[in-house]
Amino acid sequence: MTTPLFSSLLDPMLDAGFKGYPHTAAPRRASEVAQAGWNVLAGDLPLPIALIQREALEHNVGWMQRQVRGWGIDLAPHGKTTMSPQLFQRQIEAGAWGITFATVKQLALGVAAGVQRALIANQVFGDDDLAGIQALLEAQRGLRVAFLVDSVAQLDLIEQWSDAHAGCQPFEVLIEIGVPGGRSGCRTHEEAVALAARLHASAAVKLVGIECYEGLGAQGRSEADVPYAQALMARVQAIALHCDAAGWFEADEVLLTAGGSAIFDLVAPMLRPALAKPVRGLLRSGCYVTHDHGFYKRMVSVVNQRCGCADGEGLRPAMEVWAAVQSRPEPGLAIVAVGKRDISFDLDLPVPFARAPRGSLQPQPVPAGWKITGLNDQHAYLRWDAADEAGAPQVGERIGLGISHPCTTFDKWHWMPVVERDYTVSGAVSMHF
């Protein structure tokens, strides 16, 4: 039965209290936004506005699903990228096995929105988090949740909680394999084997698989990334083979999972080693859903070369942020009314790619020399050759900005319109960070 919470997550009420929603428009359900007839370039929504191009979004969701199917594995995309119930639903409907989260709070939101299989790609050990997972498992028939373990110290905390809560279900866990200088995860084979033995002996947990994250070591150069990924996945496979031979996996199938959004093609084919038990490889890439105009565009261009994808066949930027020029205070400088509160800046500064003069419904490419050189909370510094005043931006002109790292643009908005190529609003998604 559909619950009020389920309905409010998948079809929330939007109103002028949401940044980017028209100031004088009546409240509408997300499912009713298309009926308003709004167009971003017609000035129907206040700027700045972050938006999603529908065709590019649908292309990306379908493209990644076809890729994993070709590799013989499944997809459990990272939900922390978007924290959008509507996008979770699109990904699952397209064939995703489940959704990955980073915290129990994110998991609870996903479960409320209908997610039935989930990974927490992080260590869980806090009393409240362990209780939260147990409550979800008890409340949701058929729910499956697995999280990461990388130390006996973490296992001790899980066992202490379980000992104090008789009758709780054993937690499904995966051993995380880490890399020197990286984040969490076992650094050596011996450490992982010793942990696996303890996990198998524990009544508090069930060992169901092995996990790693390769993204932090990606350089975007095949000559470096290929041997790096192969070495990491060889470690993952070696511990999986050891645990399988020892009979330590306690599930009908073994989960092997990896996958950021930069070199996913290099780890994907190595997620199905030959074990005595069936293996389900799970790729956790999340940023593919909207891709970007910067960091991931550069990284995935190399993926496309390795996969033999022609121009336009691979992932496409689906997220844009549009803002208006508010001031021309000096030659060669325009101040655009958008800033750190609205757009990603953690990996690269935004990239201007389109312009639309006030009153125009037709965006045009910007000159090659235009560049965002800095951001304040609400202001962006757009610069160009001061000698080129003929093509300079004008006050009131709208500028389309591409991003790097979609995660840190999604978390600055509570909703985004979904638009057609002509920027007519045809839908909406909501975010819940």
Side-chain angles (χ1 to χ4, degrees), residues 126-346:
D127 290 354
D128 193 59
D129 283 339
L130 295 169
I133 292 175
Q134 286 290 325
L136 290 170
L137 292 171
E138 292 171 6
Q140 301 288 334
R141 183 183 299 274
L143 175 65
R144 186 177 186 189
V145 178
F147 61 83
L148 308 186
V149 176
D150 73 346
S151 69
V152 172
Q154 179 192 355
L155 176 59
D156 287 343
L157 295 175
I158 297 169
E159 289 178 329
Q160 290 172 20
W161 186 89
S162 294
D163 288 345
H165 296 82
C168 66
Q169 301 180 44
F171 295 99
E172 291 193 79
V173 299
L174 300 90
I175 294 176
E176 180 171 21
I177 305 300
V179 297
R183 300 191 301 213
S184 48
C186 297
R187 295 308 200 248
T188 68
H189 182 85
E190 293 73 23
E191 180 185 358
V193 167
L195 176 59
R198 275 291 312 273
L199 293 170
H200 178 67
S202 176
V205 299
K206 296 194 302 182
L207 179 60
V208 300
I210 311 294
E211 182 270 357
C212 73
Y213 171 61
E214 79 292 345
L216 290 178
Q219 299 182 32
R221 297 183 298 110
S222 292
E223 61 270 26
D225 292 339
V226 170
Y228 161 73
Q230 289 177 341
L232 176 58
M233 295 310 297
R235 294 177 55 211
V236 170
Q237 291 185 346
I239 187 62
L241 287 164
H242 190 113
C243 294
D244 184 55
W248 290 342
F249 288 122
E250 299 181 73
D252 294 336
E253 62 179 10
V254 178
L255 303 181
L256 252 66
T257 174
S261 297
I263 56 171
F264 52 84
D265 65 307
L266 297 180
V267 297
M270 304 177 73
L271 289 173
R272 291 191 63 195
L275 304 182
K277 286 191 172 185
V279 177
R280 184 178 297 276
L282 292 173
L283 195 69
R284 302 193 311 276
S285 305
C287 293
Y288 78 91
V289 69
T290 60
H291 197 44
D292 70 15
H293 289 78
F295 176 79
Y296 285 113
K297 180 180 179 180
R298 292 194 300 273
M299 299 297 285
V300 176
S301 68
V302 185
V303 174
N304 291 339
Q305 294 171 16
R306 290 192 294 259
C307 293
C309 293
D311 290 344
E313 290 182 0
L315 297 175
R316 302 171 185 170
M319 185 189 291
E320 304 170 4
V321 179
W322 281 78
V325 175
Q326 69 180 77
S327 178
R328 283 281 313 278
E330 60 189 59
L333 172 64
I335 303 300
V336 184
V338 64
K340 294 179 179 179
R341 305 282 182 170
D342 314 302
I343 197 166
S344 305
F345 59 93
D346 56 318

Side-chain angles (χ1 to χ4, degrees), residues 109-131:
L109 184 282
V111 172
V115 174
Q116 286 293 303
R117 290 191 288 254
L119 301 177
I120 300 179
N122 217 346
Q123 281 67 36
V124 178
F125 53 85
D127 290 354
D128 193 59
D129 283 339
L130 295 169

Side-chain angles (χ1 to χ4, degrees), residues 328 355 366-367 370 384-385 387-394 397:
R328 283 281 313 278
R355 64 191 299 185
V366 302
W370 285 20
W384 66 95
D385 185 351
D388 183 21
E389 280 300 308
Q394 303 300 311
E397 184 169 10

